[in-house]
Amino acid sequence: MARFPRSPAPRLLYTLFSSSRTTPTKSSPQSPSAALLQGNFHLQSRQFSAGGNLARAKDDKEPWWKESMERLRNIGISAHIDSGKTTLTERILFYTGRIHEIHEVRGRDGVGAKMDSMDLEREKGITIQSAATSCAWKDYQINIIDTPGHVDFTVEVERALRVLDGAILVLCSVGGVQSQSITVDRQMRRYEVPRLAFINKLDRMGADPWKVLDQARSKLRHHCAAVQVPMGLEDQFQGLVDLVQLTAYYFHGSNGEKIVTGEVPADMETFVAEKRRELIELVSEVDDKLGDMFLSDEPISSGDLEEAIRRATVARKFIPVFMGSAFKNKGVQPLLDGVLSYLPCPTEVSNYALDQKNNEEKVILSGNPDGPLVALAFKLEEGRFGQLTYLRIYEGVIRKGDFIINVNTGKKIKVPRLVRMHSNEMEDIQEAHAGQIVAVFGVDCASGDTFTDGSVKYTMTSMHVPEPVMSLAVQPVSKDSGGQFSKALNRFQKEDPTFRVGLDAESGQTIISGMGELHLDIYVERIRREYKVDATVGKPRVNFREAVTKRAEFDYLHKKQSGGQGQYGRVIGYIEPLPLGSPAKFEFENLLVGQAIPSNFIPAIEKGFKEAANSGSLIGHPVEYLRVVLTDGASHAVDSSELAFKMAAIYAFRQVIIHFVIS
């Protein structure tokens, strides 16, 4: 990537380089790659006529970064499990020329979808970790994060939405709005993310996009309307009619790469007119400019409607609904056009930081690459080359070799390597500016840390981390693999804030906690595959407590004679229950009169009773809310010792507790 100059003249060079990264494919002239080449040709033409552009740039006095920021989109793709998120991302990467072959999610051909890089993901056919990539579409750069759909991996969705400017909510045309659809939508609201909806799988039996649209309005409380109408459903699904442009789209070719436009079919004109009017009415309710035109009965052009939809979407007052079938390669390219048309660029989204020098006062970040560096570490991964830290840059420029400050720890760190991610592949870059999502190596930090260039002391607000809901006891089969086992648990705990590891002090078990059974099973399987450690898994031992229910007397003589000094100690007294909820769970009282037991042996007797109370006779758990009273005893001038009286106390306790159980 080229350096980011400050003068208007080389700005065209930057636009040319950043927009022409995509490798051309050997597609037909109508393929996406050909369209990209055509877009790059226009950029080159602009470069040759730079003289006129220089004059215009000086007149406009636009900053050097304005055009590149306007042509940038950061989006996430989220949905309920098995709604087609990864399949949709695979098609997007193909049509933008980022990959040259389409592979399916479960990897039946031995390859699998690009964004599911883990073997476990390809075997199970689910997304486990969010994956980032970038692609180019019509001279725009789109950074995409594909997120898991299963509720057990909800933290991956949380941290992705925390740093994104827009999102695509994928809904299944058969399943409709499902449980995780509601959870994901709630997360989008929490982080105030403008979004599009995409009703997928129109080719499936039982597909009903209008039922799904009604569910989105009732269950998700979306103010939404369709911007497309399908031509046929199920096995009759042929294409789409765009309600904004009033154009029919047909998708031809082996992978749907050839888009043929046409007139609206005659038998659909009435239905299309009705849905277009519904779209205009709903947008008019939340956009004043279009509302005035609608109430004045002024003619509303396609351009007017598109601008109004964009204003309402960016303001999070409206959600345009797209349709298609990612698996059948229909409707993906118009959805990409919708991302460019309706979702905001980084400078259109309000982000704020907390100024640590000014009592954490909120500071609005302009998204200006000319400003001081402010970047948030939102995801950590342990890779082959050490810790990989994903950064969202909110302001300023970060360069390879720069020194940056971790505001949370105060440490000054050098950036040894800067990369742009394409799933599990990395592309080395020299620098990146505000609005971009990159990754750095060799930076020791925690998820949620903020980095600056040292000129400001800002911190970004952290993401929401839900509490674990399930726990398992786990231990390595072989004692020799304890080191690798601990290493794996430490790594996973650092990567995933919802994965917790603890040691039960009573049972000695290692307890792992997470968001569900699948969540923990995946980590146990990863320990086996990635660290070659077999582990046994079971339910955590429940830490019960025992208690006595009534007063009981004890009288025990511990007498042991050996060749040398013997052991002699006698304790007499009683035990009784303390009231449940009393502040002390164990009390010892010495009511001994006279010197039947020398006073220096009393602490040993108390210690013996305390130790014995750690293991009751019912199920071996501690005995609590217990009072021990010592009333009498006996000692020997030679054979009595601290050990003798401690043992006498232990055996006296066991004797009286067993009496409770038998009786």
Side-chain angles (χ1 to χ4, degrees), residues 74-220:
N74 293 313
I75 66 168
I77 300 178
S78 301
H80 185 86
I81 188 170
D82 204 28
S83 293
K85 301 174 300 302
T86 304
T87 304
L88 175 62
T89 311
E90 187 81 356
R91 269 59 179 181
I92 289 174
L93 295 178
F94 176 75
Y95 295 134
T96 56
R98 200 72 166 87
I99 60 176
H100 308 308
E101 287 181 297
I102 293 176
H103 297 283
E104 299 313 323
V105 170
R106 287 194 180 271
R108 295 185 183 92
D109 55 0
V111 180
K114 180 65 187 176
M115 302 303 280
D116 285 349
S117 57
M118 288 174 59
D119 291 338
L120 270 171
E121 291 178 318
R122 293 176 177 178
E123 286 175 20
K124 294 181 177 291
I126 61 172
T127 302
I128 294 171
Q129 289 185 329
S130 58
T133 187
S134 62
C135 56
W137 179 252
K138 295 185 177 177
D139 301 335
Y140 284 72
Q141 181 188 340
I142 305 176
N143 294 322
I144 303 172
I145 297 183
D146 177 33
T147 63
H150 203 287
V151 67
D152 285 21
F153 310 108
T154 190
V155 71
E156 296 288 333
V157 185
E158 288 279 353
R159 56 180 161 204
L161 293 176
R162 170 66 184 84
V163 299
L164 293 172
D165 305 322
I168 299 173
L169 175 64
V170 182
L171 301 170
C172 176
S173 63
V174 180
V177 174
Q178 296 164 282
S179 57
Q180 188 66 1
S181 309
I182 298 171
T183 303
V184 167
D185 185 72
R186 189 186 302 124
Q187 291 168 324
M188 292 178 180
R189 290 178 191 272
R190 181 183 295 131
Y191 298 111
E192 300 180 345
V193 178
R195 53 203 177 277
L196 313 177
F198 179 68
I199 300 178
N200 193 19
K201 302 189 178 184
L202 293 185
D203 61 301
R204 279 186 58 188
M205 186 72 69
D208 187 352
W210 308 113
K211 177 196 74 175
V212 180
L213 191 61
D214 289 339
Q215 287 180 349
R217 290 168 178 165
S218 60
K219 291 186 177 182
L220 302 178

Side-chain angles (χ1 to χ4, degrees), residues 8-9 11 50-63 66:
R11 178 168 63 89
N53 285 327
L54 282 174
R56 282 194 296 274
K58 287 177 181 176
D59 292 339
D60 296 342
K61 294 182 180 179
E62 288 184 351
K66 184 173 175 57

Side-chain angles (χ1 to χ4, degrees), residues 299-551:
I300 297 174
S301 66
S302 297
D304 294 331
L305 181 55
E306 186 174 324
E307 290 174 7
I309 293 173
R310 178 177 178 79
R311 287 193 298 269
T313 304
V314 171
R316 304 190 311 282
K317 296 177 180 177
F318 180 75
I319 297 174
V321 179
F322 291 77
M323 300 184 186
S325 170
F327 184 70
K328 294 293 184 181
N329 309 308
K330 291 181 172 69
V332 178
Q333 298 97 320
L335 176 65
L336 277 170
D337 291 338
V339 168
L340 307 187
S341 300
Y342 303 134
L343 289 182
C345 69
T347 53
E348 293 176 298
V349 179
S350 296
N351 292 298
Y352 67 88
L354 303 176
D355 190 351
Q356 299 301 314
K357 292 181 178 177
N358 197 10
N359 295 323
E360 295 195 347
E361 184 180 340
K362 286 186 178 181
V363 179
I364 299 297
L365 300 177
S366 62
N368 181 353
D370 280 332
L373 173 68
V374 179
L376 174 67
F378 67 94
K379 177 178 165 69
L380 307 179
E381 249 179 49
E382 279 292 332
R384 298 185 302 274
F385 310 105
Q387 180 174 302
L388 182 66
T389 305
Y390 287 76
L391 293 178
R392 162 67 199 264
I393 308 170
Y394 286 96
E395 217 169 84
V397 176
I398 187 170
R399 298 179 178 85
K400 179 182 176 181
D402 276 359
F403 284 95
I404 56 177
I405 306 293
N406 185 334
V407 178
N408 299 69
T409 63
K411 290 182 179 178
K412 188 175 184 180
I413 305 163
K414 186 177 182 180
V415 180
R417 187 180 177 193
L418 192 64
V419 296
R420 180 176 289 111
M421 299 303 297
H422 177 44
S423 186
N424 60 336
E425 296 176 6
M426 302 165 203
E427 172 191 340
D428 280 282
I429 55 176
Q430 295 301 311
E431 63 187 59
H433 64 78
Q436 295 189 327
I437 295 171
V438 294
V440 295
F441 271 109
V443 173
D444 186 25
C445 67
S447 182
D449 284 358
T450 306
F451 292 94
T452 69
D453 56 8
S455 60
V456 292
K457 197 174 183 181
Y458 294 164
T459 57
M460 304 297 295
T461 54
S462 60
M463 63 183 179
H464 172 73
V465 178
E467 288 299 314
V469 297
M470 183 178 176
S471 298
L472 287 176
V474 60
Q475 65 179 21
V477 173
S478 170
K479 292 183 178 179
D480 297 336
S481 54
Q484 286 292 93
F485 180 71
S486 299
K487 187 177 178 183
L489 293 181
N490 289 335
R491 170 196 164 184
F492 296 147
Q493 195 174 199
K494 195 172 185 181
E495 288 182 2
D496 185 350
T498 60
F499 180 72
R500 313 279 175 85
V501 180
L503 182 68
D504 190 304
E506 290 187 22
S507 65
Q509 292 179 313
T510 300
I511 308 296
I512 57 173
S513 304
M515 301 306 298
E517 189 175 356
L518 177 65
H519 188 210
L520 299 179
D521 285 349
I522 290 292
Y523 277 118
V524 172
E525 182 66 16
R526 287 184 65 187
I527 291 171
R528 187 181 69 80
R529 293 190 182 205
E530 297 175 26
Y531 289 88
K532 305 294 185 286
V533 176
D534 286 322
T536 56
V537 178
K539 293 180 180 178
R541 178 179 161 186
V542 179
N543 295 320
F544 290 102
R545 295 292 183 268
E546 300 180 28
V548 298
T549 56
K550 59 184 179 180
R551 173 172 165 160

